[in-house]
Amino acid sequence: GIPSIFIPNLETGADDQLGRAMIAQQTSTGLLLNPLTASGLKECLEKLLDETNNAEFRKRYLSLCQVNGSDVAAQVLADFLFQ
């Protein structure tokens, strides 16, 4: 898990970026920046660049993440290609 700042695009109707960003914020696995402001961005960057905070974000993410989707996708493609 890479600690991330989520800046949702509220103009798209087909994708609930705000909802997913709120989940990251609520689970303390990422930061939600809405609205995008210079002071808000500075605050988020300071939190992510702090080694203690960064380690905590990673720890929380890893405690929640049970499956790496890229590994699953790679296996599906390999199975398809080599049948």
Side-chain angles (χ1 to χ4, degrees), residues 42-59:
K42 181 179 182 215
E43 181 181 332
C44 287
L45 288 172
E46 287 172 352
K47 287 180 182 179
L48 289 188
L49 293 173
D50 178 272
E51 290 297 323
T52 302
N53 285 339
N54 192 297
E56 286 298 316
F57 278 112
R58 289 176 184 271
K59 181 179 174 182

Side-chain angles (χ1 to χ4, degrees), residues 46-80:
E46 287 172 352
K47 287 180 182 179
L48 289 188
L49 293 173
D50 178 272
E51 290 297 323
T52 302
N53 285 339
N54 192 297
E56 286 298 316
F57 278 112
R58 289 176 184 271
K59 181 179 174 182
R60 281 189 292 273
Y61 174 80
L62 291 173
S63 74
L64 295 173
C65 182
Q66 297 179 12
V67 176
N68 182 336
S70 63
D71 292 338
V72 173
Q75 187 62 54
V76 167
L77 288 173
D79 291 346
F80 176 77

Side-chain angles (χ1 to χ4, degrees), residues 23-34:
I23 291 170
Q25 178 88 11
Q26 291 166 355
T27 59
S28 298
T29 56
L31 298 172
L32 168 60
L33 180 54
N34 183 42

Side-chain angles (χ1 to χ4, degrees), residues 5-17:
I5 300 170
F6 294 90
I7 305 169
N9 175 359
L10 303 179
E11 299 302 316
T12 179
D15 184 10
D16 188 12
Q17 293 183 19

